[in-house]
Amino acid sequence: MTSALQLSGERFAAVYYIRAEGPTQAEARARAICLEQTVEFPEPLIPEAAIRRQIVGEIADLQAADQGVYRAVIRYPLEVAGDELTQLINVLFGNVSIQPGVRLMDFTLSPGLFRRYRGPRFGIAGLRERLGVHQRPLLCTAIKPMGLSPAQLADLAYRLALGGIDLIKDDHGLADQPFCRFDERVQRCAEAVSRANRETGQQALYLPNVTGPFADISRRAHLARGAGAGGLLFCPGLAGLDSMRSLADDDTLALPILSHPAFQGSLAVSPEAGLSHRVLFGLLNRLAGADAAIFPHFGGRFAYAEADCRDIVRGCTQAMAPEGTAAENGAAGASGMAPIFPVPAGGMRLDRIDELVRFYGRDCMLLIGGDLHAHGDDLAGSCRRFRDLAEAAVSH
Amino acid sequence: MTSALQLSGERFAAVYYIRAEGPTQAEARARAICLEQTVEFPEPLIPEAAIRRQIVGEIADLQAADQGVYRAVIRYPLEVAGDELTQLINVLFGNVSIQPGVRLMDFTLSPGLFRRYRGPRFGIAGLRERLGVHQRPLLCTAIKPMGLSPAQLADLAYRLALGGIDLIKDDHGLADQPFCRFDERVQRCAEAVSRANRETGQQALYLPNVTGPFADISRRAHLARGAGAGGLLFCPGLAGLDSMRSLADDDTLALPILSHPAFQGSLAVSPEAGLSHRVLFGLLNRLAGADAAIFPHFGGRFAYAEADCRDIVRGCTQAMAPEGTAAENGAAGASGMAPIFPVPAGGMRLDRIDELVRFYGRDCMLLIGGDLHAHGDDLAGSCRRFRDLAEAAVSH
């Protein structure tokens, strides 16, 4: 019995850094990845030439990148990734995640992959349009601390919206706890932000955290939309990237999604393993439909490096378009997957806004949490100061 | 407006290794974790004493563990974790995953947590019962390589079942590709294994890979059960731990679950960050309902250390029971969360079975893939040899 395997020949590329002691070992390791991520079978035992030719990954390029590190470009058949994000991620980095000394640095979209993923529904342009804010960074904060009641959080949300914050999100630790039930919190906070919007004429968005049990994610998201929430907060590290994609692709929701990095940090922590910051916080978030990606800005309490943050910006904004098209080269007006907002966070303060805007430019979302509460009781006043500082920063 | 926060006072413990230059810094870092994982708010700004007292984590113990490393036991309120696995994981390691020099080593179940999680439905005892195999390690293999048609894979599954393999799983790269659709593959393979079982009088199980798109996981699992599959393969790193829990807890499925580590490796790779092997492959898999956990045995192509594998065994089998009960001390007959099979894998060969059984004892599942195909065309013969070697290894 032989198969009638006949694939399209279309392949997409993944870029790895591989630790190796020399070009021979680098080539052997790259070749091992080609097998590991596809057939996971000893090469001599592959039963059909068609499988060896059509299924196994191919080394498209292999270069020394640094002392003891090689950069390998491996091309995988489109069909191996199927139509599913889980399997695409499996091909990119499933089993090799268990091997030391291999890091996924980047990947590209072939035309077939590009067609399978809708990507961000809003992205930078769509979210600006929705908020009517075109010139300055977007302003974001969280309602917290955990332990406040739904009524107290709603009061907070109301005052933050009055103060002119664009996006008011749940703290990512607010789930469905007995002391603060999801349904009541979301109803109250959405109502509070709507009330503030009626008073200000602005259109602040409330984004509840819909990370939750597998069978309740969609219900929570739809309850949020019904209550008037203007977006969703989601932690793909806790509940899965494809869960986020399912929310992003749901036309009956059609809400902007802010991705939170909880539990994802370890995936990027070793420079010799895991995923590059670009892939983890940028490319995968976009592929899974996030419109903005939260990550720790350098110099905060999370100690990311400046280079990591630059890499994240590239992942949020680099061209994601079919290879070889005008859009891949970033041509204006050409169609690719929308760029999304980088959201530097992690103990950011009002006195760092200038520095943040110098680094990220205007197309970022500034997330300031605790520090809005550190300047006395006039919360709305602190919010106005936040906005003034952001506006001033772009006019420098 | 003040809250009427009134929590039970019940707390569960997480054990971290924290990098610090001395006891003062260690204490400060541990205290920072207590805040980060709960209120995520500057301590002086917490608006109510009740929140500071009832919500924030508490340092229960802090000791020097190694040069520059401290072991901190932090106790979190039960209610902060809510009733959801996603939030429990968020409390244990959500934001601190982004901080370097913090590793989650272990955690314990308080009575309230224990009640909320059903854990493995089968575990070691239940799976042995189901298979009628009580004395020797269980035998597992995968149908592969990717690229074979459903009919070819079914033929393979048939011969493996005839040869006496206990658990025949999909290769974890088999998803729902155009060259091998999930529905057809699962129907054919389940039928083939049933046919072999009728011939041999044994009860080999076929475990299809139901990792897939968020909205299709449950459908695939139910299709598998309807077709006669005897278990499920799942990759929680790709589709989320809570997705696996939802399959394990589904009484209309009631199938054993084999957890595959794809994409999870980076979570444990740095000894100074991420999760211990025990937590990642043992405790979390059990909490999420897996009955067996695949991981790379040391000395294979994945280069895990012997100590890592011992730690995984502990995670698969250590007591998971309410603190302070007889079951926590492993008392016979006392009720805790079932221990599960460690499944050492990653390029294992028939000639290593003796070594594997010496290391893991009889309560392990031996997973041999490619090597079953490396000894000539008589696949059933290689399977019988696999079984003979496993039986002989426990009688030494």
Side-chain angles (χ1 to χ4, degrees):
Chain A
M1 192 159 38
T2 58
S3 71
L5 195 65
Q6 203 141 30
L7 306 190
S8 64
E10 180 177 331
R11 288 180 179 247
F12 61 95
V15 181
Y16 302 95
Y17 271 14
I18 301 175
R19 196 174 57 211
E21 281 166 21
T24 309
Q25 195 191 31
E27 170 108 27
R29 291 206 71 187
R31 185 66 195 156
I33 294 173
C34 293
L35 293 163
E36 185 74 57
Q37 298 304 98
T38 55
V39 290
E40 206 197 330
F41 208 66
E43 187 155 18
L45 300 180
I46 294 174
E48 296 182 15
I51 293 177
R52 199 173 298 116
R53 211 169 46 237
Q54 296 186 56
I55 298 279
V56 175
E58 290 174 355
I59 305 173
D61 193 37
L62 182 64
Q63 310 269 351
D66 202 346
Q67 186 67 30
V69 178
Y70 288 76
R71 178 183 183 274
V73 180
I74 295 180
R75 297 181 73 83
Y76 299 108
L78 172 68
E79 290 87 348
V80 169
D83 301 329
E84 18 196 282
L85 183 57
T86 42
Q87 174 60 9
L88 172 57
I89 294 170
N90 193 25
V91 176
L92 290 170
F93 207 64
N95 264 16
V96 294
S97 78
I98 317 172
Q99 291 181 346
V102 182
R103 187 167 172 93
L104 177 66
M105 301 301 293
D106 201 353
F107 63 86
T108 58
L109 298 180
S110 66
L113 268 191
F114 183 75
R115 275 195 303 276
R116 278 166 178 76
Y117 296 93
R118 182 170 184 163
R121 184 184 287 266
F122 296 88
I124 291 177
L127 202 44
R128 284 200 176 284
E129 192 63 37
R130 182 110 171 188
L131 286 159
V133 176
H134 299 281
Q135 299 301 325
R136 59 163 170 81
L138 302 187
L139 313 183
C140 181
T141 193
I143 50 173
K144 52 163 92 172
M146 184 194 292
L148 295 178
S149 67
Q152 289 174 305
L153 291 169
D155 175 62
L156 201 51
Y158 173 73
R159 290 185 291 142
L160 291 162
L162 275 193
I165 303 293
D166 301 307
L167 302 107
I168 299 158
K169 73 173 188 72
D170 276 354
D171 190 29
H172 80 287
L174 298 175
D176 180 37
Q177 287 99 340
F179 53 83
C180 185
R181 287 290 175 202
F182 176 89
D183 292 13
E184 183 188 348
R185 175 177 81 247
V186 171
Q187 297 279 2
R188 282 184 184 266
C189 291
E191 188 280 324
V193 172
S194 298
R195 185 156 42 88
N197 284 341
R198 285 194 301 275
E199 293 175 30
T200 61
Q202 293 169 358
Q203 31 204 331
L205 306 179
Y206 166 56
L207 296 90
N209 174 26
V210 298
T211 312
F214 177 77
D216 207 39
I217 291 171
S218 176
R219 186 199 71 82
R220 290 188 193 180
H222 283 274
L223 180 140
R225 189 183 195 282
L232 304 172
L233 178 78
F234 200 76
C235 303
L238 297 173
L241 277 160
D242 196 67
S243 309
M244 184 163 78
R245 184 207 51 77
S246 78
L247 293 173
D249 285 356
D250 185 340
D251 290 330
T252 66
L253 279 171
L255 290 174
I257 294 176
L258 180 52
S259 174
H260 188 285
F263 200 65
Q264 291 186 305
S266 327
L267 293 169
V269 75
S270 162
E272 291 204 334
L275 313 175
S276 69
H277 294 81
R278 173 192 318 219
V279 168
L280 179 60
F281 297 112
L283 301 186
L284 288 181
N285 268 329
R286 281 163 84 188
L287 203 57
D291 299 290
I294 301 173
F295 61 91
H297 180 61
F298 62 93
R301 68 184 187 277
F302 292 98
Y304 266 41
E306 181 173 332
D308 300 334
C309 296
R310 282 200 200 285
D311 202 42
I312 293 169
V313 172
R314 278 191 291 265
C316 288
T317 58
Q318 75 183 37
M320 281 183 89
E323 292 172 275
T325 63
E328 197 200 7
N329 302 316
S335 151
M337 214 166 263
I340 65 174
F341 279 104
V343 189
M348 291 301 103
R349 301 186 311 269
L350 294 174
D351 62 17
R352 294 187 65 186
I353 288 177
D354 253 359
E355 170 204 333
L356 288 165
V357 175
R358 265 201 309 277
F359 189 80
Y360 294 99
R362 72 181 62 201
D363 277 340
C364 68
M365 187 186 295
L366 302 171
L367 170 49
I368 294 185
D371 195 54
L372 281 184
H373 303 261
H375 307 275
D377 283 343
D378 180 14
L379 184 60
S382 292
C383 295
R384 281 191 295 274
R385 195 163 146 64
F386 185 8
R387 177 183 276 204
D388 290 346
L389 286 165
E391 283 174 352
V394 287
S395 66
H396 285 346
Chain B
M1 190 161 37
T2 59
S3 70
L5 195 64
Q6 203 141 29
L7 305 191
S8 65
E10 180 177 332
R11 289 179 179 247
F12 61 96
V15 181
Y16 302 95
Y17 271 14
I18 301 175
R19 196 174 57 213
E21 281 166 22
T24 309
Q25 196 191 30
E27 169 109 28
R29 290 206 71 188
R31 184 67 195 156
I33 294 173
C34 293
L35 293 163
E36 185 75 56
Q37 298 304 97
T38 54
V39 290
E40 207 197 329
F41 208 66
E43 188 156 18
L45 299 180
I46 294 174
E48 296 181 17
I51 294 176
R52 199 173 299 116
R53 210 170 47 236
Q54 296 186 57
I55 297 279
V56 175
E58 290 173 356
I59 305 173
D61 193 38
L62 183 63
Q63 310 269 352
D66 201 348
Q67 187 65 33
V69 178
Y70 289 76
R71 179 182 182 274
V73 180
I74 294 180
R75 299 181 71 84
Y76 299 108
L78 172 68
E79 290 87 347
V80 168
D83 302 328
E84 17 196 282
L85 183 57
T86 42
Q87 174 61 8
L88 172 57
I89 295 170
N90 192 26
V91 176
L92 289 170
F93 207 65
N95 264 16
V96 293
S97 79
I98 317 171
Q99 291 180 346
V102 182
R103 186 166 173 95
L104 177 65
M105 300 302 292
D106 201 353
F107 63 87
T108 58
L109 298 179
S110 66
L113 269 190
F114 183 75
R115 276 195 302 276
R116 279 166 178 76
Y117 295 94
R118 182 170 185 164
R121 183 183 289 265
F122 296 88
I124 291 178
L127 203 43
R128 284 200 175 283
E129 192 62 37
R130 182 110 172 187
L131 287 159
V133 176
H134 299 282
Q135 298 302 326
R136 59 164 171 79
L138 302 187
L139 312 183
C140 181
T141 192
I143 50 172
K144 51 162 93 174
M146 182 192 292
L148 295 178
S149 68
Q152 290 174 304
L153 291 169
D155 175 62
L156 202 50
Y158 174 73
R159 291 186 290 142
L160 292 162
L162 275 192
I165 303 292
D166 301 308
L167 301 107
I168 299 158
K169 72 172 189 71
D170 276 353
D171 191 29
H172 80 287
L174 299 176
D176 180 36
Q177 287 99 340
F179 52 84
C180 186
R181 286 292 174 199
F182 176 89
D183 292 12
E184 184 189 349
R185 176 177 82 249
V186 172
Q187 297 279 4
R188 282 183 185 267
C189 292
E191 189 280 322
V193 172
S194 298
R195 184 156 42 87
N197 284 341
R198 285 194 300 276
E199 293 175 30
T200 60
Q202 293 167 357
Q203 30 205 330
L205 306 179
Y206 166 55
L207 296 89
N209 174 26
V210 298
T211 312
F214 178 77
D216 207 37
I217 291 171
S218 175
R219 186 198 70 82
R220 290 189 193 181
H222 283 275
L223 181 140
R225 189 184 194 283
L232 304 172
L233 179 79
F234 200 75
C235 303
L238 297 172
L241 278 160
D242 196 67
S243 310
M244 186 164 76
R245 185 209 50 77
S246 78
L247 293 173
D249 285 356
D250 185 340
D251 291 329
T252 66
L253 280 172
L255 291 173
I257 295 176
L258 179 52
S259 174
H260 188 286
F263 200 64
Q264 291 187 304
S266 327
L267 293 169
V269 75
S270 162
E272 291 203 332
L275 313 176
S276 69
H277 294 82
R278 173 192 319 219
V279 167
L280 179 60
F281 297 111
L283 302 185
L284 288 181
N285 268 328
R286 281 163 83 189
L287 203 57
D291 299 290
I294 300 173
F295 62 90
H297 179 61
F298 63 93
R301 68 184 187 278
F302 291 99
Y304 267 41
E306 181 173 332
D308 301 335
C309 295
R310 284 201 199 284
D311 202 43
I312 293 169
V313 173
R314 278 191 291 266
C316 287
T317 58
Q318 75 182 37
M320 282 184 88
E323 291 173 275
T325 62
E328 197 199 7
N329 303 315
S335 149
M337 213 167 263
I340 65 174
F341 279 104
V343 190
M348 290 302 101
R349 301 185 312 269
L350 294 174
D351 62 18
R352 293 187 66 186
I353 288 177
D354 251 0
E355 170 204 333
L356 288 165
V357 175
R358 264 199 310 276
F359 189 79
Y360 294 100
R362 72 182 61 201
D363 277 340
C364 68
M365 187 186 295
L366 302 171
L367 170 50
I368 295 185
D371 194 53
L372 280 184
H373 303 262
H375 306 276
D377 282 343
D378 180 14
L379 184 59
S382 292
C383 295
R384 280 191 295 274
R385 195 164 146 64
F386 186 7
R387 177 182 276 205
D388 290 345
L389 287 166
E391 283 174 352
V394 286
S395 66
H396 285 346

